[in-house]
Amino acid sequence: MALPVNLEIAKTHLLSRKKQSIVAMLGVTFGIAMFILMISFMKGVNQFLQDTMLSSTPDVRIFNDYKTDFSSSITSEYFKDSNQLTIVHHPKPKDISLNLKNAQQIISDLHQNPKVLAVSPVVTSQVFYNYGPVQLNGILKGVNILDEIRLFDLKSKIISGRLENLLTIDNGIVMGVGLAEKLHVVIGDMVTLATPSGTSMRLRVVGTYQIGIAAVDDVNSYVNISTVQQVLGKDKNYITAINVKMKDINYAHAEAFSFQKKYGYKAEDWEVTNASVEASNTVRDVLTIVVSATMLIVAGFGIYNIMNMLITNKMKDIAILKAQGFAQKDIVQIFLAQSITIGLLGALAGLLFGFLLSYGLSCVPFPAKGFVSLKTFPVIFEVKYYVFGILFGVITTLVAGFMPSLKASKIDPVAILRG
Amino acid sequence: MGEILKTIQLNKYFREIEEFHVIKNINMSINSGEFVCITGKSGCGKSTLLYLLSTMDNDYEGEVFINNTKVTGLTQNELAAFRNENIGFIFQFHFLLPEFTALQNVMMPALKLGKYSKEEIEERALAKLAQVQMKDYAHKLSGKLSGGQQQRVAVARALINEPKVIMADEPTGNLDSVNTGIVFDIFKDLAAKGNTIIAVTHDTDFAEKSDRIIEMKDGEII
Ligand SMILES: Nc1ncnc2c1ncn2[C@@H]1O[C@H](COP(=O)(O)OP(=O)(O)OP(=O)(O)O)[C@@H](O)[C@H]1O
Ligand SMILES: [Mg+2]
């Protein structure tokens, strides 16, 4: 039943030196606010990059990964003597085709798969755009645009023109906005491109789009699948990759593995394709944790200091309390309650302050230059972070307050009260 | 009336730089309702003895019984609970908690004991304050009271849990003659009502008027 008295004493102690209590609290407030700001911003960046990445990366991509298997060689046809040892330096493949041979079967099989939401066959080719005397490098992605739309939210990425124009206008091309700028073309203009094998073709620009990643927007363009097949001189069954969207993105990893086994072609899930994005996410997470932890530890030391000072000032009071029969655990409670109060109030203020800071940041225009397209700083607001904030704040102050409180409880009243 | 406090072969040593035998073979017995004064020259060990009796110092040899309980060997927490219920302590330098009002100071040991409701405790505390003529100052911060007033509040605080024994280390050592008179009268009154009082004092007048004087010299009772 002693708890209320102890809390009463703790409260009086806190209120009788408001300034110190507030300074201690501000330490926690600042630490937590920074934590909230950092994590909201860093997670915002992660989220943004992930979204951007997913808007151009399929959940699973099945393609023909040309093999460099030189275990058998045509040299054996010329050197038939089995007693001879033949060594071939710098072997090269004779002929490789990059297409998926049974693409139509794979596609119809994928359509049967209950975990698959959408399938889009793609023919990709390296091309060169004629721009006066120079040739600009580019990648042509031949797709059935209606299938592709089901995989990626391309409509929101359109800057000018319409994707559906690909269906109605012969030899249309929807160009990455960066590439269109480089070529100085707008809708309706004609561009001339050439394939590595030498064939060339004229296409009409029917739209431009922007994914938000310069590396994509500066090289990629969409055309009809038949256009690429035609420019490459291939037939209608020539498919170089199949993009798959899963019903749940988390299936991707496991399914990619089973596709690979089933169809005999390389199947890569989005996480593998974008491993570098994952790595940079991890770096940001670690950074957030390190900086926030440092701040909280500093705040913790502040509290430790203030509690120690308080206890030195209150030696006499502690001795009196003990003389009256307050036990060690009561003394611990009295002082621990104070540091927890400081921690809790400081953390609450920190959450509010952190929220205001993150909100403020989310309104600041992002100085977008090339690399990504962003209107304002990416910030996400999640209850989870605020719960963590409170927990961290309270735990830090609990730890920081515990040692001084224990010290207080060990004070020998006789040594202090002896007149 | 029966015996309330008893010591058997009490010995204490200070072992700091060199061993110092401060309390030597003390056997004493105090009856319930007695008003006992411990006197002696400065440094003879009066305070040390009183702190042993009060259970705050438990680094000694021998045995102490209070109210038929052997307190020797109890744990720190048990001793704290025992003090809270059975011993009222008054110090030379009043020693109230300055951030609390007189009333809060008096209520504190009772709140810790938790035997009565808060309202009841407040009522009792006010009665105790009235007993030491400090009821008018109940809601004043104790830090703002004069030395004599603070000492009277400290007496009221020592009484709040109706302890079996009240111990005081030079309770009037810091007071003028008027306040000394007031405190002495309170003690006398308490003793008359059956409280046991053990007071360490230098004041011979004060001691003379008590029931019994225990005189000490060099850690021994003479
Ligand atoms: N912590 C300690 N360590 C060593 N010696 C101590 C300690 N406390 C007290 N003493 C010594 O023990 C002896 C008794 O001290 P104590 O305080 O009991 O005396 P006292 O009779 O109360 O004196 P006074 O009348 O001045 O208050 C003294 O000689 C003192 O110097
Ligand atoms: Mg003394």
Side-chain angles (χ1 to χ4, degrees), chain A residues 125-288:
Chain A
S125 175
Q126 179 95 35
V127 292
F128 304 101
Y129 295 94
N130 285 337
Y131 181 57
V134 289
Q135 293 197 310
L136 290 178
N137 208 351
I139 290 171
L140 213 53
K141 292 175 82 174
V143 296
N144 294 326
I145 196 67
L146 294 180
D147 286 339
E148 190 74 357
I149 287 171
R150 291 169 67 205
L151 258 71
F152 304 116
D153 177 25
L154 287 176
K155 282 192 176 158
S156 70
K157 304 288 192 301
I158 285 294
I159 301 288
S160 63
R162 289 177 66 229
L163 285 165
E164 288 81 355
N165 289 349
L166 284 179
L167 299 174
T168 51
I169 297 172
D170 224 21
N171 286 348
I173 178 170
V174 176
M175 217 175 240
V177 73
L179 182 61
E181 263 167 38
K182 278 204 245 174
L183 291 170
H184 288 279
V185 292
V186 292
I187 294 181
D189 291 349
M190 300 295 289
V191 287
T192 306
L193 56 79
T195 61
S197 59
T199 51
S200 72
M201 183 173 228
R202 278 168 70 74
L203 298 175
R204 186 179 295 280
V205 179
V206 297
T208 56
Y209 72 99
Q210 186 176 34
I211 295 288
I213 306 171
V216 174
D217 293 333
D218 283 0
V219 292
N220 282 14
S221 302
Y222 279 113
V223 293
N224 277 328
I225 201 160
S226 57
T227 309
V228 188
Q229 284 164 346
Q230 193 185 331
V231 76
L232 290 175
K234 306 285 184 184
D235 62 71
K236 279 191 107 47
N237 294 322
Y238 187 83
I239 301 291
T240 56
I242 298 170
N243 290 343
V244 182
K245 187 180 178 68
M246 311 301 297
K247 289 206 170 109
D248 182 339
I249 191 165
N250 296 315
Y251 297 152
H253 188 67
E255 287 303 303
F257 187 72
S258 70
F259 290 165
Q260 186 161 326
K261 268 180 76 177
K262 192 167 177 189
Y263 305 130
Y265 288 112
K266 177 103 176 162
E268 208 174 67
D269 63 279
W270 59 279
E271 278 180 86
V272 175
T273 314
N274 293 285
S276 68
V277 174
E278 289 291 299
S280 67
N281 281 0
T282 310
V283 169
R284 269 186 295 278
D285 287 350
V286 169
L287 194 71
T288 307

Side-chain angles (χ1 to χ4, degrees), chain B residues 63-196:
Chain B
E63 290 175 356
V64 178
F65 293 84
I66 300 171
N67 196 24
N68 296 322
T69 305
K70 182 179 173 183
V71 295
T72 308
L74 294 185
T75 66
Q76 286 286 349
N77 283 341
E78 287 166 340
L79 287 175
F82 184 85
R83 272 203 298 284
N84 184 235
E85 192 165 5
N86 296 294
I87 299 172
F89 214 94
I90 301 160
F91 313 96
Q92 180 173 359
F93 301 103
H94 30 78
F95 290 129
L96 298 176
L97 302 181
E99 296 111 335
F100 295 84
T101 64
L103 180 63
Q104 286 174 319
N105 266 285
V106 175
M107 287 168 70
M108 215 168 272
L111 291 171
K112 166 70 197 153
L113 186 62
K115 203 159 128 190
Y116 301 103
S117 73
K118 198 166 176 183
E119 291 70 33
E120 256 175 296
I121 289 169
E122 186 165 336
E123 215 168 279
R124 280 158 178 273
L126 285 170
K128 296 295 175 200
L129 280 169
Q131 200 177 341
V132 297
Q133 289 129 54
M134 283 297 295
K135 198 174 174 182
D136 297 345
Y137 299 91
H139 296 288
K140 263 198 118 166
L141 275 185
S142 66
K144 301 265 160 69
L145 297 173
S146 80
Q149 290 172 329
Q150 289 197 32
Q151 192 58 300
R152 280 189 267 157
V153 175
V155 173
R157 183 181 63 189
L159 298 175
I160 187 71
N161 282 348
E162 314 276 348
K164 293 289 182 307
V165 190
I166 294 159
M167 299 187 188
D169 189 2
E170 312 207 23
T172 59
N174 224 26
L175 301 182
D176 61 14
S177 59
V178 176
N179 276 303
T180 302
I182 294 172
V183 170
F184 183 80
D185 289 343
I186 295 167
F187 278 14
K188 202 72 192 164
D189 188 40
L190 289 171
K193 284 178 182 153
N195 289 293
T196 309

Side-chain angles (χ1 to χ4, degrees), chain A residues 19 42 50 106 133 189 216-217 221 229 233 268 301 389 396 416:
Chain A
K19 226 185 198 164
M42 291 300 184
Q50 180 141 332
I106 296 176
D189 291 349
V216 174
D217 293 333
S221 302
Q229 284 164 346
E268 208 174 67
F301 271 110
T396 311
I416 288 153

Side-chain angles (χ1 to χ4, degrees), chain A residues 47-162:
Chain A
Q47 183 74 53
F48 168 77
L49 287 182
Q50 180 141 332
D51 286 351
T52 310
M53 163 193 110
L54 288 180
S55 69
S56 62
T57 311
D59 295 357
V60 179
R61 193 165 76 98
I62 302 169
F63 60 101
N64 189 350
D65 193 21
Y66 58 85
K67 298 177 189 68
T68 44
D69 173 19
F70 297 111
S71 56
S72 65
S73 173
I74 54 164
T75 49
S76 55
E77 290 173 24
Y78 299 94
F79 304 100
K80 291 209 168 81
D81 185 350
S82 57
N83 290 327
Q84 269 180 327
L85 179 68
T86 314
I87 295 173
V88 181
H89 282 283
H90 191 37
K92 289 179 207 68
K94 175 170 158 273
D95 184 28
I96 47 172
S97 58
L98 294 171
N99 67 327
L100 305 169
K101 293 198 178 60
N102 48 352
Q104 295 309 329
Q105 277 138 275
I106 296 176
I107 291 167
S108 56
D109 189 61
L110 283 170
H111 278 301
Q112 309 288 315
N113 192 322
K115 286 178 180 167
V116 170
L117 189 69
V119 182
S120 173
V122 185
V123 183
T124 314
S125 175
Q126 179 95 35
V127 292
F128 304 101
Y129 295 94
N130 285 337
Y131 181 57
V134 289
Q135 293 197 310
L136 290 178
N137 208 351
I139 290 171
L140 213 53
K141 292 175 82 174
V143 296
N144 294 326
I145 196 67
L146 294 180
D147 286 339
E148 190 74 357
I149 287 171
R150 291 169 67 205
L151 258 71
F152 304 116
D153 177 25
L154 287 176
K155 282 192 176 158
S156 70
K157 304 288 192 301
I158 285 294
I159 301 288
S160 63
R162 289 177 66 229

